[in-house]
Amino acid sequence: MRKRIVAGNWKMNTLPGEGVALAREIVGGKGTVCDCVSFIVCPPFTHLSEVAHALKGSGIALGAQNCAAEEQGAYTGEVSAAMLAALGCEYVILGHSERRQYYGETSATLRAKMERAYAHGLTPIYCVGENLAEREAGKHFDVVKRQIEEVVYGLTDEQFAKLVIAYEPVWAIGTGKTATADQAQEIHACIRKVLAAKFGAAADGTAILYGGSCKPGNAAELFAKEDVDGGLIGGAALKAEDFLAIGRNGFGK
Ligand code: 13P
């Protein structure tokens, strides 16, 4: 049985006090969602420590939104995987389309970041997805295949066993346009095939999350699909009730 995950990517939102209040609300409502769901919250770096405290004992995991490609040293403004692990992070989002698009992250950078993450016991949530032009040109399968081959194929079997993938079509992020459940299933199945081509049957165990305007109203239909194992949630993760409702509607009470 694959893990069912509902992860919140808070992006550059919330001040520390607001983040702690949001985390507390999520902790308070977790009992209304099936125990089968693994919740993860990914706040900004600045309040990881305080949010870690608020999550203590709740079973909700903490993740970061990025980490440095280097181990340590003279890299002004960067945050290392070791620092994140020391604060209690279990996960780190890598390769989000906003990082690729606005900060020029390439497959080479992401390979290095992934190695750093694993070296410090963090589980990467590796994001892939095509933009609108690529979708319209029918290149979406090729794009995600390349994003996986260039970064994930370098992992050892042991590393791969822990990896989480998030498929996030760029055209659906923050736009209110969601991929249909059939579109999501089609590409999630393709991703699993690409993973299986390298890692064999282990790919059956990989959690592949959908992200992009996922809401309480569409979670049930999306998560009902065979190869959709949960969601990576942006906007709707900033409201505790919506975030919890995505888990509840998607996977039950
Ligand atoms: P939205 O849910 O706001 O579309 O964002 C999705 C996302 O980018 C999560 O990483």
Side-chain angles (χ1 to χ4, degrees):
M1 176 68 122
R2 285 194 286 274
K3 238 182 171 175
R4 295 160 169 182
I5 296 174
V6 176
N9 174 8
W10 295 4
K11 307 191 181 182
M12 196 170 72
N13 294 296
T14 71
L15 294 174
E18 295 164 338
V20 168
L22 176 56
R24 288 205 180 118
E25 249 191 283
I26 296 168
V27 169
K30 184 179 173 271
T32 64
V33 186
C34 175
D35 278 344
C36 59
V37 179
S38 302
F39 281 109
I40 304 168
V41 294
C42 305
F45 289 138
T46 46
H47 22 309
L48 283 170
S49 185
E50 285 172 77
V51 170
H53 198 70
L55 296 178
K56 223 177 192 120
S58 69
I60 297 174
L62 185 70
Q65 300 172 20
N66 182 28
C67 72
E70 301 80 10
E71 179 62 23
Q72 66 167 81
Y75 301 101
T76 302
E78 288 293 284
V79 175
S80 75
M83 293 168 187
L84 299 177
L87 292 182
C89 288
E90 293 175 58
Y91 293 87
V92 60
I93 297 171
L94 291 177
H96 192 282
S97 63
E98 288 150 17
R99 303 278 335 156
R100 293 180 192 261
Q101 191 180 343
Y102 306 140
Y103 303 98
E105 292 196 354
T106 62
S107 291
T109 324
L110 292 168
R111 275 290 307 133
K113 290 186 178 204
M114 228 180 245
E115 285 305 322
R116 296 273 70 80
Y118 278 113
H120 294 283
L122 300 173
T123 295
I125 301 174
Y126 178 60
C127 303
V128 298
E130 80 287 356
N131 63 31
L132 185 60
E134 290 161 341
R135 164 68 63 165
E136 284 175 344
K139 291 190 181 144
H140 43 296
F141 295 113
D142 293 341
V143 170
V144 299
K145 183 166 183 271
R146 196 185 61 242
Q147 289 170 334
I148 288 172
E149 285 174 351
E150 290 179 354
V151 177
V152 177
Y153 275 22
L155 299 180
T156 64
D157 288 347
E158 197 190 337
Q159 289 172 328
F160 175 70
K162 292 210 246 159
L163 184 70
V164 176
I165 301 266
Y167 167 67
E168 300 204 311
V170 178
W171 48 271
I173 296 177
T175 58
K177 271 192 207 169
T178 322
T180 65
D182 286 337
Q183 281 174 324
Q185 168 56 28
E186 179 185 45
I187 199 142
H188 280 227
C190 157
I191 290 169
R192 202 176 301 286
K193 230 171 79 188
V194 174
L195 295 173
K198 167 77 180 165
F199 297 100
D204 287 335
T206 306
I208 306 178
L209 316 183
Y210 170 79
S213 298
C214 186
K215 304 262 175 332
N218 57 28
E221 200 187 346
L222 284 161
F223 300 176
K225 291 293 179 185
E226 165 89 26
D227 288 292
V228 181
D229 305 307
L232 179 57
I233 320 299
L238 297 171
K239 282 196 189 134
E241 189 35 44
D242 285 355
F243 186 58
L244 293 162
I246 288 172
R248 199 161 46 233
N249 297 352
F251 296 119
K253 293 186 188 181

